[in-house]
Amino acid sequence: MGKIVTKFGGSSLSDASQFQKVKSILDMDKRRCYVVPSAPGRRFDGDDKITDLLYQSYHLVQDGKDFKPVFEKIRERFVGIKQELGLEIDISEYLDEVEKDIASGASADYCASRGEYLNGLLLADYLGFMFLDPKDFIFFNKNGTFNSERTNDALTALLKYCQKAVIPGFYGSLDEEIHTFSRGGSDISGAIVARAAKAEMYENWTDVSGFLMADPRVVPGAKGISNVTYRELRELSYMGASVLHEDSVFPVHRAGIPTNIRNTNAPDDPGTYISHTMPDDENPDVITGVAGKLGFSVISVEKAMMNVEHGFGRRVLQAIEENNLSFEHMPTGIDTLCVVVATADLEPVRQSVINRIVELTNPDTLTIHDDMGIIATVGRGMVHNPGTAARLFMALSSAHVNVRMIDQGSSELSILVGVDSADFQPAIRAIYHEFVKD
Ligand code: ASP
């Protein structure tokens, strides 16, 4: 029988009734044998996330202040879940130990990780699964980066002997000390477990039924995406569409395991299915989604005959590199080269970048255009559909959007346009409505 690794986010495990939903989801399919929980999230608007309370406790201790009132809220949540579900586990004993460690100045990572740890203990008890502590098999390198191969070897070996397990998300160890991923990192833990288990599917259960074709705050009622490839997803999430932690894509993508984003509160919704490749005929829409980000500046360097001057591009990029800037895109024309950078990063080194480019390339003109938004229209179907770009630009022109930069990613998976911030939302709406018919 194939295996499915399920990761449940904080809102999916925020209280006892959510735990019950999780159990019935697992009961529905016996292949769901490894479970990666987050810490309990918000139960309602304005509620606390346990991870936030743990970080708060850490900071209070650091500042020499009383963290007990905050820890009481943490204790109440876990004890409440245990009591409502009638569990055997003595969670108070574990809570006492965590409280003692926090009081004695445990690290921020240790404190934060205890939300997943305690939730994992409760869930394992409730499901009757084994509890596996990731400190023993999710490893980080000395510089804090994730050690994927050592982890994969250790976890693969362990899972061979363990048919059903709860493995808390978000943390592992670095030199025997607890170390966490960045916020939202349980998604990464789930993907790591899926790879080690050679799962046939990585299910990521959250509180939405998958990805939407556009940000619903910009396009109210935006349709859901049912199928997307990892490469498309990477382009969409890089441009701001977020449901999954960006780094969670790599372990499963590389291992050829599909991911399915599902909704714990609507388990019958098929959600979004993400896979390596998709037969062309499975995508009836020309585009898969449209996403964008604000806060960019475009540095345009113009020089007649630039195209025959050897090393011109390298020198512009050298100026960027010397100022410790990373660039996002680099559309070029015959006599113009543009480098798109985040305005916040450019700000402190703006003059020094200008001076260095001038010094190195002696351009005819150098201009910087701030206040830009970049919009990516992404779709594996675009390559095969002649006229897609024409439709996109017609739609923008009908919406009176002035396009300041165009870049068709070399992957041919996306068309990027740069627009003034004021045009950002109208442009996204125009593109969406051009391609997506209700
Ligand atoms: N609990 C952690 C956070 O709030 C990790 C996660 O939920 O994925 O960031």
Side-chain angles (χ1 to χ4, degrees), residues 7-10 37-40 49-52 55 112 115-116 169-170 181-188 245:
K7 178 258 166 179
F8 289 90
S38 281
K49 285 176 93 168
I50 292 294
T51 310
D52 292 339
Y55 276 121
E116 271 71 11
F170 191 38
F181 291 105
S182 57
R183 294 298 304 263
S186 298
D187 284 343
I188 310 173
H245 191 297

Side-chain angles (χ1 to χ4, degrees), residues 395-415:
L396 291 175
S397 131
S398 308
H400 308 291
V401 169
N402 185 9
V403 177
R404 311 210 64 121
M405 183 208 86
I406 303 171
D407 191 2
Q408 170 152 26
S410 48
S411 62
E412 288 199 61
L413 269 182
S414 62
I415 297 175

Side-chain angles (χ1 to χ4, degrees), residues 189-429:
S189 310
I192 291 165
V193 176
R195 178 186 173 204
K198 300 193 177 44
E200 65 183 68
M201 175 83 77
Y202 171 35
E203 287 180 348
N204 193 309
W205 291 82
T206 165
D207 54 4
V208 290
S209 295
F211 288 100
L212 297 177
M213 293 184 81
D215 184 338
R217 289 166 300 187
V218 180
V219 182
K223 279 201 328 195
I225 300 177
S226 46
N227 290 297
V228 60
T229 64
Y230 280 111
R231 286 175 65 213
E232 289 174 297
L233 181 67
R234 167 95 181 108
E235 305 229 3
L236 284 170
S237 45
Y238 166 74
M239 288 310 293
S242 67
V243 170
L244 268 182
H245 191 297
E246 240 194 298
D247 295 344
S248 70
V249 164
F250 298 108
V252 272
H253 180 20
R254 222 183 300 140
I257 300 167
T259 299
N260 190 190
I261 312 285
R262 301 286 291 266
N263 187 347
T264 303
N265 304 319
D268 294 332
D269 287 357
T272 299
Y273 181 78
I274 312 159
S275 70
H276 210 64
T277 50
M278 213 76 75
D280 290 336
D281 56 348
E282 271 191 34
N283 184 19
D285 297 321
V286 176
I287 69 165
T288 302
V290 47
K293 262 203 251 182
L294 288 163
F296 289 107
S297 298
V298 182
I299 306 170
S300 304
V301 191
E302 200 173 327
K303 189 174 187 185
M305 306 302 285
M306 168 203 107
N307 58 328
V308 290
E309 187 177 322
H310 287 157
F312 187 87
R314 184 187 53 72
R315 286 194 289 277
V316 172
L317 292 184
Q318 181 184 338
I320 300 287
E321 185 182 358
E322 283 176 4
N323 282 281
N324 279 328
L325 271 181
S326 48
F327 70 93
E328 310 274 336
H329 307 284
M330 196 177 63
T332 57
I334 299 172
D335 289 331
T336 341
L337 189 149
C338 298
V339 185
V340 182
V341 295
T343 310
D345 297 343
L346 174 66
E347 216 41 74
V349 289
R350 182 182 287 260
Q351 199 51 49
S352 138
V353 169
I354 296 173
N355 296 348
R356 193 65 179 133
I357 295 178
V358 168
E359 210 173 279
L360 286 169
T361 65
N362 189 25
D364 296 338
T365 59
L366 191 162
T367 50
I368 299 187
H369 188 87
D370 293 317
D371 253 335
M372 289 244 320
I374 297 187
I375 298 168
T377 305
V378 178
R380 60 192 179 279
M382 296 196 318
V383 199
H384 309 291
N385 277 279
T388 309
R391 279 176 71 187
L392 191 147
F393 291 110
M394 275 303 289
L396 291 175
S397 131
S398 308
H400 308 291
V401 169
N402 185 9
V403 177
R404 311 210 64 121
M405 183 208 86
I406 303 171
D407 191 2
Q408 170 152 26
S410 48
S411 62
E412 288 199 61
L413 269 182
S414 62
I415 297 175
L416 304 178
V417 290
V419 300
D420 286 331
S421 297
D423 285 336
F424 183 71
Q425 295 206 2
I428 292 181
R429 281 192 282 274

